[in-house]
Amino acid sequence: MSLLSVRGIHKTFGDNQVIQGIDLDIEPGTVTVIIGPSGCGKTTLLRSLNGLETPEQGVVSIDDIEVDYASKPTPAQIRKLRSKTGFVFQAHNLFPHLSVLQNITEGPIYGNKQPPEEARALGRTLLEQVGLADKADAYPGDLSGGQQQRVGIARALALQPKLLLFDEPTSALDPEIVGDVLQLMRKLAREGWTMAVVTHEIQFAKQVATNVVFIDQGVIVEQGSPQQVLTNPSHPRTREFLRRILDPLADEESAS
Ligand SMILES: Nc1ncnc2c1ncn2[C@@H]1O[C@H](COP(=O)(O)OP(=O)(O)O)[C@@H](O)[C@H]1O
Ligand SMILES: [Mg+2]
């Protein structure tokens, strides 16, 4: 059975139909990479999976929790759904006035009511795993962007979610530290975490993804293995998108 099942998601902002009927399944232990042009609805879809966004229609099931957005889910139902996920944001969103360790333990202690000692022990273990064992007492402002994002990932892991959601986790980073974060994500994939990753890092997708989903204008245009979607895309829109991101100067050249 799928870990995540999404059926018929529709989300509108005003008269902008952003998600126009998306179905998606994610199997346990797999990595799904979501690609698509800016504004096509990737963030909105990801946020709809854990109730950060409220679609008008659609059913999302994660593990043993099912939310039917058409029947006005209660805040408690949304909280249960969200507790199944860990979300890694584009900008890490750490609390600047809390230490690294406090940032990681905040959710488990106050959200999940985990005993503080236990949460701190897990937090230190996770900091070791993301290569920041010596930064527990540092503040976010003392860390590089890449280190901050690795804390953001540790914070998501601390909630012990079933599904990790990444929304362009490296797009706000300096190029030379993007690799650190991608390597950490590859390690998590190898450890068996189930992940949905919005990213433009095509090499990462080729190496790590189980499935690649190409979204355009709020619908899934094409999905399949990295080989199918990235190397041999069958849809012209997928080919056009890949051409643009792999060779950003191509248009200019053909125009001149
Ligand atoms: N909170 C919001 N209010 C109004 N419009 C929004 C909101 N969030 C996203 N949108 C619009 O929805 C569309 C898809 O946005 P988004 O999901 O962020 O796309 P992507 O992540 O693929 O770049 C865009 O047209 C964006 O302007
Ligand atoms: Mg986005």
Side-chain angles (χ1 to χ4, degrees):
M1 220 187 86
S2 300
L3 175 69
L4 168 89
S5 151
V6 171
R7 290 293 173 270
I9 295 279
H10 289 260
K11 174 65 183 173
T12 305
F13 291 110
D15 54 10
N16 186 4
Q17 292 184 14
V18 173
I19 303 291
Q20 307 190 49
I22 282 190
D23 298 343
L24 183 65
D25 288 285
I26 293 182
E27 306 304 320
T30 63
V31 177
T32 301
V33 166
I34 299 169
I35 58 173
S38 178
C40 73
K42 303 179 297 294
T43 294
T44 306
L45 173 64
L46 220 53
R47 291 167 59 87
S48 298
L49 302 184
N50 73 348
L52 284 174
E53 218 55 85
T54 310
E56 294 83 39
Q57 273 184 58
V59 181
V60 174
S61 322
I62 303 177
D63 200 24
D64 55 349
I65 301 294
E66 179 173 292
V67 165
D68 182 354
Y69 282 112
S71 62
K72 300 252 179 293
T74 62
Q77 286 174 304
I78 295 288
R79 267 201 305 278
K80 277 189 193 156
L81 184 72
R82 193 168 303 159
S83 74
K84 298 288 178 183
T85 68
F87 203 105
V88 178
F89 297 87
Q90 181 170 10
H92 52 77
N93 288 339
L94 299 177
F95 295 115
H97 59 290
L98 297 181
S99 73
V100 162
L101 187 61
Q102 285 170 329
N103 264 283
I104 294 172
T105 57
E106 186 88 349
I109 294 173
Y110 299 103
N112 293 1
K113 310 287 174 214
Q114 191 177 25
E117 269 321 304
E118 204 180 293
R120 281 193 279 271
L122 174 63
R124 288 186 187 279
T125 306
L126 289 170
L127 278 175
E128 235 164 79
Q129 284 176 16
V130 302
L132 295 172
D134 55 335
K135 299 293 185 193
D137 300 319
Y139 283 79
D142 304 328
L143 305 182
S144 73
Q147 290 173 329
Q148 290 178 3
Q149 191 56 300
R150 283 187 278 151
V151 175
I153 292 172
R155 181 180 57 179
L157 298 176
L159 298 164
Q160 299 173 281
K162 295 284 178 183
L163 174 64
L164 287 171
L165 305 170
F166 294 83
D167 190 9
E168 299 199 35
T170 61
S171 61
L173 300 179
D174 289 334
E176 77 272 19
I177 49 179
V178 165
D180 294 351
V181 173
L182 293 178
Q183 279 167 28
L184 171 59
M185 291 167 62
R186 183 172 61 191
K187 184 177 100 162
L188 297 175
R190 287 179 179 154
E191 287 169 3
W193 286 91
T194 311
M195 299 162 54
V197 184
V198 173
T199 185
H200 297 294
E201 297 289 343
I202 298 300
Q203 282 312 319
F204 173 84
K206 283 186 175 168
Q207 278 188 27
V208 181
T210 318
N211 287 301
V212 178
V213 176
F214 173 62
I215 297 181
D216 196 11
Q217 297 175 5
V219 298
I220 294 179
V221 172
E222 179 163 0
Q223 65 177 312
S225 68
Q227 165 71 20
Q228 282 170 323
V229 178
L230 300 174
T231 313
N232 264 318
S234 63
H235 201 288
R237 273 147 80 185
T238 319
R239 287 201 287 269
E240 174 63 13
F241 171 74
L242 290 170
R243 194 181 63 78
R244 278 172 196 269
I245 61 167
L246 294 174
D247 188 4
L249 293 177
D251 285 345
E252 180 86 5
E253 223 154 71
S254 59
S256 64

